[in-house]
Amino acid sequence: MPTLPNGFVPSSSSYSFDEPGGVMRTDVDGGMPRYALDWDRGVQRFKITLVLDLMEFSVWTAFYHFQIAKGAIAFDMPLDSGFGVELHTVNIKPGSYSAARTGGALMVVSFIAETENHVYLMDSVGAGRLVDLFNTYGDQSNLLLARIARFATVESNVL
């Protein structure tokens, strides 16, 4: 599977994503609206901006047209969907691509990438445990998890 060329990263100032959808809402006369889950999972759309110099833009153009067929072929791209930067398999949403030259020698490429959030790699039990861990240890949870990981991968190998 193709991977975004080395060193190409989304600009943090223009990096955002929307909700995965799947929730229905029904208005109720004289009362609170009712909500229901229409479907589970779903893709999220990430608004991506790449700021590239002219050489990088040449590489991007070749990658875009020939390796990923203008976004029709999925490719791996580093994104943060909530668990830190990880490779996500994405497609480019048709009609969302644009490229513009800045006043200098830079090109700004923008598109909407569609992918599944990595939260779906866990199940509801794991999600509940993550929330419980945070409720117990707060923002120190990362320190605890890092310490457990160090013990499991480094220190226990000595034994």
Side-chain angles (χ1 to χ4, degrees):
M1 175 165 313
T3 301
L4 190 69
N6 290 337
F8 289 24
V9 293
S11 171
S12 59
S13 63
S14 297
Y15 185 83
S16 62
F17 57 97
D18 70 358
E19 51 120 2
V23 176
M24 297 184 323
R25 180 180 181 274
T26 303
D27 289 327
V28 175
D29 291 338
M32 287 288 294
R34 292 188 295 177
Y35 293 84
L37 188 62
D38 192 20
W39 70 82
D40 198 5
R41 302 183 72 107
V43 298
Q44 285 187 281
R45 287 148 298 277
F46 288 74
K47 296 174 185 166
I48 304 297
T49 300
L50 301 171
V51 180
L52 308 171
D53 65 26
L54 296 180
M55 178 54 138
E56 290 170 333
F57 184 66
S58 295
V59 171
W60 168 259
T61 301
F63 177 77
Y64 178 71
H65 285 276
F66 293 107
Q67 290 196 316
I68 63 170
K70 299 180 279 184
I73 296 173
F75 63 100
D76 288 336
M77 176 178 196
L79 294 172
D80 183 354
S81 61
F83 296 95
V85 177
E86 301 174 298
L87 282 181
H88 288 67
T89 300
V90 305
N91 284 94
I92 295 176
K93 183 178 177 187
S96 70
Y97 179 86
S98 69
R101 187 180 299 272
T102 65
L106 295 176
M107 294 295 292
V108 178
V109 174
S110 300
F111 56 89
I112 296 175
E114 292 184 318
T115 188
E116 274 198 331
N117 192 306
H118 278 190
V119 72
Y120 297 122
L121 298 176
M122 73 172 57
D123 59 14
S124 61
V125 173
R129 288 181 178 155
L130 178 61
V131 172
D132 290 344
L133 179 70
F134 183 81
N135 286 339
T136 302
Y137 296 101
D139 60 359
Q140 299 298 310
S141 299
N142 282 343
L143 295 175
L144 174 64
L145 291 173
R147 183 66 183 103
I148 291 170
R150 179 172 171 75
F151 175 77
T153 59
V154 177
E155 295 170 2
S156 62
N157 289 334
V158 175
L159 302 174

